[in-house]
Amino acid sequence: MGADEVIDYQTQDFTQTDRRFDFIFHAVGKSSFGQCKPLLKPKGIYISTELGKRSENIGLALTTPLFGGRRVLFPLPVMRRDNMLYLRDLAQQGSFRPVIDRKYALDDIVEAYRYVETGQKTEMLLSR
């Protein structure tokens, strides 16, 4: 994907690096813009797959561009046919294998949500 450095949050404290980054893509939901902001270069961009605590990333995406420095972008997912075909091809080739650590029946959504809140989730599936 073109990343110069990938930090495994399970084995490294990413906040302790001396490096500064143009872009931080936060895909786990275990930290915040506030924690990542010092790691960004002056015009750096932070994107998270999560809404953030109390959905803060939505508000930050609206306000941080006004200050001309580090900013939050909130990705709105767009389903495009070519992207879906690309992901399908990667899965068929065995190049993309999602890590799913638990599966829940849809009736167990409360239990699934509690598990997510523990911060231990990798990915999980809900089924009917």
Side-chain angles (χ1 to χ4, degrees):
M1 295 182 72
D4 293 326
E5 183 172 348
V6 175
I7 299 172
D8 181 351
Y9 74 95
Q10 293 179 328
T11 60
Q12 297 172 270
D13 181 354
F14 72 95
T15 64
Q16 299 305 306
T17 183
D18 291 330
R19 293 203 51 203
R20 296 300 169 255
F21 303 92
D22 295 305
F23 181 79
I24 294 176
F25 176 64
H26 185 250
V28 181
K30 295 184 186 220
S31 64
S32 66
F33 174 62
Q35 289 172 291
C36 295
K37 187 176 177 180
L39 304 176
L40 288 168
K41 290 180 180 178
K43 298 281 185 181
I45 296 171
Y46 169 86
I47 291 182
S48 177
T49 59
E50 304 282 330
L51 292 174
K53 293 177 185 169
R54 296 178 297 284
S55 301
E56 70 184 5
N57 289 338
I58 296 170
L60 289 168
L62 296 171
T63 58
T64 56
L66 301 174
F67 302 106
R70 297 169 184 100
R71 59 194 170 120
V72 174
L73 296 182
F74 190 74
L76 297 174
V78 176
M79 298 297 239
R80 292 184 23 206
R81 180 173 167 50
D82 56 332
N83 290 344
M84 293 300 105
L85 293 174
Y86 176 70
L87 290 173
R88 180 205 62 194
D89 292 345
L90 287 177
Q92 287 176 341
Q93 296 165 10
S95 299
F96 173 74
R97 283 182 247 141
V99 176
I100 299 169
D101 67 334
R102 298 206 180 173
K103 296 180 183 182
Y104 291 91
L106 191 55
D107 291 340
D108 297 326
I109 188 116
V110 172
E111 182 182 338
Y113 184 80
R114 286 186 183 127
Y115 177 61
V116 168
E117 288 297 303
T118 69
Q120 301 301 311
K121 75 166 174 67
T122 303
E123 285 298 325
M124 61 185 170
L125 295 177
L126 293 173
S127 60
R128 292 183 189 251

